[in-house]
């Protein structure tokens, strides 16, 4: 299902209540729980609404792309960050789509710049790091720091990494409906 302005809440129901119950690439949470936990972390950190919405939707690209669920086994990168950015950019402000589009680059960046970071990654994230091109080199680090949504993407990445807690109870999708509507309208 592809999201449009007209079907967006239908799309969210499909994403969170149907597809969302699926396992998340070997993580201990479902993908819906994972995205809800990421949004919860963003809100708890005092993020602004576009960035909370970005956290909530950061993995939509796993569901709107052309790849199946076994792409890790096949050793291909599904580029879910770019797919997510592309499907959301007509509907949301740039801050939402661009920080989602950079959240994988932010992992590669943090691996290069924060010595303690790699060990905090889940096994699945370590595995996909290789498929996604590995740790950034110095030139890539500098280029990334010059991206407009660099800081937002790094924050989003840290919420993403923290959002894999089995059994953690957080706000459901309903909590974010009005916020999403406000953010959609502002686009
Ligand atoms: Fe994620």
């Amino acid at each position: 299902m592809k999201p449009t302005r007209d079907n967006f809440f239908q799309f969210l129901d499909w994403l969170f209540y149907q597809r969302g119950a699926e396992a998340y690439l070997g993580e201990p949470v479902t993908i819906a729980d994972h995205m809800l936990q990421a949004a919860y972390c963003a809100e708890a950190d005092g993020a602004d609404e576009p960035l909370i919405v970005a956290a909530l939707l950061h993995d939509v690209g796993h569901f709107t792309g052309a790849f199946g669920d076994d792409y890790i086994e096949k050793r291909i990168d599904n580029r879910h960050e770019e797919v997510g950015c592309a499907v959301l950019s007509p509907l949301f402000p740039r801050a939402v789509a661009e920080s989602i589009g950079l959240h994988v680059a932010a992992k590669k960046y943090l691996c290069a710049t924060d010595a303690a970071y790699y060990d905090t990654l889940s096994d699945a994230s370590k595995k996909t790091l290789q498929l996604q091109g590995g740790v950034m080199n110095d030139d890539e680090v500098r280029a990334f720091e010059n991206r407009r949504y660099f800081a937002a993407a790094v924050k989003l990445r840290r919420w993403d990494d923290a959002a894999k807690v089995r059994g953690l109870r957080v706000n459901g999708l309903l909590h974010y409906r009005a916020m999403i509507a406000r953010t959609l309208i502002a686009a």
Side-chain angles (χ1 to χ4, degrees), residues 24 31 34-35 38 55 58-59 62 80 103 125 156-157 159-161 163-164:
Y24 174 37
I31 194 131
H34 169 63
M35 295 201 288
H58 77 272
D59 275 340
H62 281 309
H80 75 281
H103 85 276
S125 279
L156 176 54
R157 183 70 223 181
W159 300 323
D160 181 4
D161 295 324
K164 297 172 179 179

Side-chain angles (χ1 to χ4, degrees), residues 9 49 92-93 175-187:
F9 286 93
E49 290 197 342
F92 287 98
H175 176 78
Y176 300 100
R177 292 219 168 218
M179 188 185 297
I180 293 164
R182 283 192 293 274
T183 310
L184 268 173
I185 288 162

Side-chain angles (χ1 to χ4, degrees), residues 8 13 53 59 77 90 95 99 101-102 107 114 120 126 134 139 141 155 157 175-177 182-183:
F8 198 74
D13 287 341
V53 171
D59 275 340
D77 175 12
S99 44
L102 294 175
K107 174 171 72 171
D114 177 345
T120 69
K126 286 174 180 162
D139 289 344
V141 163
K155 283 187 194 169
R157 183 70 223 181
H175 176 78
Y176 300 100
R177 292 219 168 218
R182 283 192 293 274
T183 310

